[in-house]
Amino acid sequence: MGKLKSYQEQLQEIVEKGINAAEEQQKKLSSKPFEYAEKLESEAREYSVKNLRTRYYGYSESLFDQLRSLNSRVGSFAADLVAKLEKEAAEGADSVADAADEVTSVAQSTKATAQAKKPAARKTTARKSNSTSTAKDTSATA
């Protein structure tokens, strides 16, 4: 189950890198219009282009921060899920081990019982054969 955790972390890192790359590209693309607007800006305006750029970047940074937060929450959820799966797997393994111990115990008990009965049965059979052959020997001699 450690592999699941590793996969979850790798996936989270990939998503983080994708978010960072998207943010960087978005800033590069959006900077050109602002650069041109700043060149044309007049100082008499109520809102300066620099002010607009600052606000725009503030909003976009907020958006990407929210995406990172969402990625973190999804990562936490995945980590909890992995932990639950690992716990269930461990409990399942314990159950299988207990069942295997029980089967081994029953098998050993059955084997011991069978071995105890086999030698007694052979001795009884051997005695019957000896007594039968002794009786035959006696009748043959007489």
Side-chain angles (χ1 to χ4, degrees):
M1 288 294 169
K3 283 187 178 183
L4 286 177
K5 180 72 173 169
S6 174
Y7 291 147
Q8 174 257 321
E9 289 173 353
Q10 288 175 359
L11 180 61
Q12 204 169 351
E13 288 176 17
I14 289 169
V15 170
E16 182 71 24
K17 286 178 183 177
I19 291 169
N20 290 339
E23 181 181 25
E24 191 173 306
Q25 287 301 316
Q26 182 268 336
K27 283 183 179 180
K28 283 181 183 177
L29 290 173
S30 66
S31 70
K32 292 295 179 188
F34 289 112
E35 289 172 5
Y36 291 122
E38 284 174 349
K39 289 179 183 178
L40 301 173
E41 176 185 26
S42 76
E43 293 182 347
R45 291 189 180 168
E46 186 177 330
Y47 294 103
S48 71
V49 175
K50 286 183 180 182
N51 227 2
L52 290 174
R53 178 186 278 210
T54 303
R55 284 185 183 180
Y56 177 80
Y57 283 150
Y59 292 138
S60 65
E61 285 177 15
S62 174
L63 170 68
F64 288 107
D65 286 344
Q66 288 175 358
L67 288 172
R68 286 185 187 93
S69 174
L70 176 64
N71 184 34
S72 177
R73 285 187 282 172
V74 167
S76 294
F77 173 75
D80 290 345
L81 186 61
V82 167
K84 286 179 184 177
L85 287 172
E86 286 176 339
K87 181 181 176 186
E88 287 179 17
E91 289 172 354
D94 289 345
S95 296
V96 168
D98 291 344
D101 289 345
E102 188 176 326
V103 167
T104 302
S105 175
V106 169
Q108 287 174 347
S109 173
T110 304
K111 182 178 176 183
T113 304
Q115 285 178 346
K117 288 183 180 180
K118 277 187 179 181
R122 286 183 185 162
K123 287 180 183 175
T124 307
T125 308
R127 285 183 191 157
K128 285 183 182 177
S129 297
N130 285 342
S131 61
T132 309
S133 50
T134 308
K136 286 181 184 175
D137 290 342
T138 311
S139 19
T141 351

